[in-house]
Amino acid sequence: MSAQRTTPLMRPARPLRPGVPEATVARLPIYLRALMSMAEVGVETVSSEDLATAAGVGSAKLRKDLSHLGSYGTRGVGYEVDYLVYQISRELGLTQDWRVAIVGVGNLGNALANYGGFASRGFTVVALLDADESLVGTSVAGVRVRHLADLEQVVVAEQVTIAVVATPAEAAQQVCDRMVTAGVTSVLNFAPCVLDVPVGVMVRKVDLSTELQILAFHEQRRLAGVVSPDPVLAPTATEAVRRVR
Amino acid sequence: MSAQRTTPLMRPARPLRPGVPEATVARLPIYLRALMSMAEVGVETVSSEDLATAAGVGSAKLRKDLSHLGSYGTRGVGYEVDYLVYQISRELGLTQDWRVAIVGVGNLGNALANYGGFASRGFTVVALLDADESLVGTSVAGVRVRHLADLEQVVVAEQVTIAVVATPAEAAQQVCDRMVTAGVTSVLNFAPCVLDVPVGVMVRKVDLSTELQILAFHEQRRLAGVVSPDPVLAPTATEAVRRVR
DNA sequence: CTCTGTGAATATATTCACAGCC
DNA sequence: GGCTGTGAATATATTCACAGAG
């Protein structure tokens, strides 16, 4: 591998960010939820201070985050709730509908399929898939369970864009491979394993075990007389893991 | 804070504790899982390159991460799998057992209770709680379901340290409050809401809706002809949210 | 020679603090 | 006066690239 020498002078570093920082993107859904519950109880305007509190972040961070989307607030007043809901929704791509398939209809798959805030915002579960013959044909959350063998066919017919993998770890990679081959470009993985995908496909991982272990780490610190690290805060979290082959 | 100086001669190499970075802590569970499956198939030694691939990260990042725990590798060779498993486990606090209570025994609670990799590593589900009378007394994953009313009593009797909240959002804050009052210091929240806790209590959040929205954001970018931002990688994720009152 | 461990360089994120508008 | 938006300062994280152990 030709180790490219670091150019000492050239470094355009790119002009302006057309992009919203990842850390910000990860918080937008939280702001959105807070805003929506405010809207529900008739709040029309909110200050960065109040919204930040509702979202569990600092107000400076909130303002900086929102500033990446544009100038949607009014100085001296705050943010108009409905307007901000719209702007964040648009930024997150929730003004269009995303077609989701859930693979694995065990307890977890069931819980996910029945999750309320799901269909409500831009996401529609259009397919449920399972390898268990006895589940095939039954209806869960109003969606008929199809056999895993029909995966490709279902993905194409239902125009699935996002796959939720809720299978055992052993099956996850194969299911993911088939999903990707069939055209899925985003995967949310609940199986406790790393999924290998081609470049261009995005995987995010949700993992109970990982989260518990992170909690355990901090519990241990606490017990080990680490003089209560000021506020016991947990900044980062679940890393989206993706391997390129 | 009298920073205790590391004894220079001690063998187990207490690796200087200016603290392990959060981003590193969040990845240790992934390394651990990869290492454990390697150990299972008899791998004795692994290079940073191979372990990094298995974990879906770059090898430089992996080495840097591990260097925060100490010098547990051998130059020119790699890492001894078993030894590294032990060191990471110890760092994460998995050498002791953590007693976990799950509140909410719906589909999700069931899925969590039945999750395998749970009891296997340092975590024991010692209590299940639900408000539904018809569930109380039944046994899930070998644990008897208790009534929510007995929460405080159960937490104390079972010495629960970590609470998993798998209730509807409406109930989550109240359940959390009671847990904290009863002595719980770590909470893993599956309910789609921000939990308010006192300083010193740690909350981590797992949220389907948030993850989907982040995926949608990137899907939208892709569709909007954003010239495939190099590798479509997803660096950060679910922020641990905590509000101080 | 191979592969770890790590400073130095870079990139990202958070926080501060205040100018500027309402 | 009150609040947003934002540069500048700081803190964290990632990546590079190579010295040095085995």
Side-chain angles (χ1 to χ4, degrees):
Chain A
M1 16 163 80
S2 59
Q4 167 133 3
R5 187 159 283 290
T6 321
T7 340
L9 288 181
M10 274 201 60
R11 197 57 293 204
R14 290 196 174 181
L16 238 310
R17 288 294 80 151
V20 181
E22 265 304 310
T24 295
V25 171
R27 282 185 297 263
L28 291 180
I30 303 172
Y31 304 152
L32 185 57
R33 178 175 293 142
L35 285 166
M36 286 177 117
S37 39
M38 286 175 178
E40 247 170 42
V41 290
V43 176
E44 292 185 348
T45 279
V46 67
S47 69
S48 65
E49 194 61 57
D50 289 352
L51 181 51
T53 300
V57 303
S59 64
K61 191 189 274 186
L62 177 119
R63 287 199 303 278
K64 179 72 88 178
D65 280 343
L66 294 185
S67 79
H68 288 115
L69 314 193
S71 286
Y72 298 138
T74 310
R75 291 166 200 242
V77 180
Y79 302 89
E80 210 241 298
V81 174
D82 288 343
Y83 186 53
L84 198 49
V85 163
Y86 170 71
Q87 291 298 347
I88 294 179
S89 296
R90 194 176 47 78
E91 190 69 37
L92 285 173
L94 306 183
T95 48
Q96 59 192 285
D97 221 75
W98 299 101
R99 303 174 68 81
V100 176
I102 299 175
V103 192
V105 192
N107 278 316
L108 179 58
N110 250 276
L112 297 177
N114 284 297
Y115 175 56
F118 212 138
S120 81
R121 316 221 217 309
F123 301 95
T124 310
V125 179
V126 295
L128 297 177
L129 294 156
D130 202 289
D132 184 347
E133 305 271 1
S134 71
L135 282 174
V136 174
T138 66
S139 207
V140 173
V143 180
R144 186 171 302 277
V145 178
R146 304 283 304 266
H147 195 279
L148 190 60
D150 302 335
L151 188 149
E152 289 77 6
Q153 179 185 333
V154 170
V155 166
V156 173
E158 297 292 347
Q159 300 177 76
V160 171
T161 316
I162 300 177
V164 174
V165 177
T167 66
E170 300 73 50
Q173 184 62 61
Q174 197 190 353
V175 163
C176 176
D177 288 346
R178 291 175 62 190
M179 279 287 174
V180 169
T181 303
V184 163
T185 44
S186 286
V187 177
L188 182 51
N189 180 30
F190 284 84
C193 61
V194 174
L195 289 181
D196 231 352
V197 293
V199 172
V201 174
M202 184 158 192
V203 181
R204 288 188 71 87
K205 182 175 71 72
V206 172
D207 189 339
L208 167 70
S209 180
T210 297
E211 297 299 322
L212 284 176
Q213 288 174 35
I214 296 171
L215 286 176
F217 172 84
H218 292 283
E219 273 298 328
Q220 177 178 239
R221 291 239 137 176
R222 181 203 320 282
L223 298 183
V226 172
V227 208
S228 180
D230 303 291
V232 178
L233 238 185
T236 25
T238 321
E239 173 129 356
V241 171
R242 174 187 135 273
R243 284 193 292 173
V244 180
R245 39 189 160 193
Chain B
M1 276 336 70
S2 61
Q4 170 130 3
R5 187 166 276 310
T6 317
T7 338
L9 290 179
M10 286 198 62
R11 183 63 211 314
R14 206 68 59 108
L16 194 54
R17 298 297 179 96
V20 181
E22 267 303 311
T24 295
V25 172
R27 282 185 296 263
L28 291 180
I30 303 171
Y31 303 153
L32 185 57
R33 176 174 295 142
L35 285 164
M36 287 178 116
S37 41
M38 285 174 179
E40 246 171 44
V41 290
V43 177
E44 292 186 347
T45 278
V46 67
S47 68
S48 65
E49 194 60 58
D50 288 352
L51 180 50
T53 300
V57 303
S59 64
K61 190 188 277 186
L62 179 121
R63 287 199 305 278
K64 178 72 88 177
D65 281 342
L66 294 184
S67 78
H68 289 116
L69 314 192
S71 285
Y72 298 137
T74 308
R75 291 168 200 242
V77 179
Y79 301 90
E80 210 240 297
V81 174
D82 288 343
Y83 185 54
L84 198 49
V85 163
Y86 170 71
Q87 292 298 347
I88 294 180
S89 297
R90 193 175 49 78
E91 190 68 39
L92 286 173
L94 306 182
T95 47
Q96 61 192 288
D97 222 74
W98 299 101
R99 302 173 69 80
V100 176
I102 299 176
V103 192
V105 193
N107 277 318
L108 179 58
N110 249 275
L112 298 177
N114 284 297
Y115 176 54
F118 213 137
S120 80
R121 315 218 218 310
F123 301 94
T124 311
V125 179
V126 295
L128 297 177
L129 294 157
D130 203 290
D132 184 347
E133 304 274 0
S134 71
L135 282 174
V136 174
T138 64
S139 206
V140 173
V143 180
R144 187 171 303 275
V145 178
R146 303 284 306 267
H147 195 278
L148 190 61
D150 300 337
L151 187 148
E152 290 77 6
Q153 179 184 333
V154 170
V155 166
V156 172
E158 297 291 349
Q159 301 177 76
V160 172
T161 315
I162 300 177
V164 174
V165 178
T167 67
E170 300 73 51
Q173 183 63 62
Q174 196 190 354
V175 163
C176 176
D177 288 346
R178 292 175 63 190
M179 279 287 174
V180 168
T181 304
V184 163
T185 43
S186 285
V187 178
L188 181 51
N189 180 31
F190 283 86
C193 61
V194 175
L195 289 180
D196 230 354
V197 293
V199 172
V201 175
M202 185 159 190
V203 181
R204 288 188 70 88
K205 182 175 71 72
V206 172
D207 189 339
L208 167 71
S209 180
T210 297
E211 297 300 323
L212 284 177
Q213 289 174 35
I214 296 171
L215 287 176
F217 172 85
H218 292 283
E219 272 298 329
Q220 177 178 239
R221 290 241 137 174
R222 180 203 321 282
L223 297 184
V226 173
V227 208
S228 179
D230 302 294
V232 179
L233 236 185
T236 24
T238 320
E239 171 128 356
V241 171
R242 171 188 136 275
R243 282 194 294 172
V244 180
R245 39 189 156 195

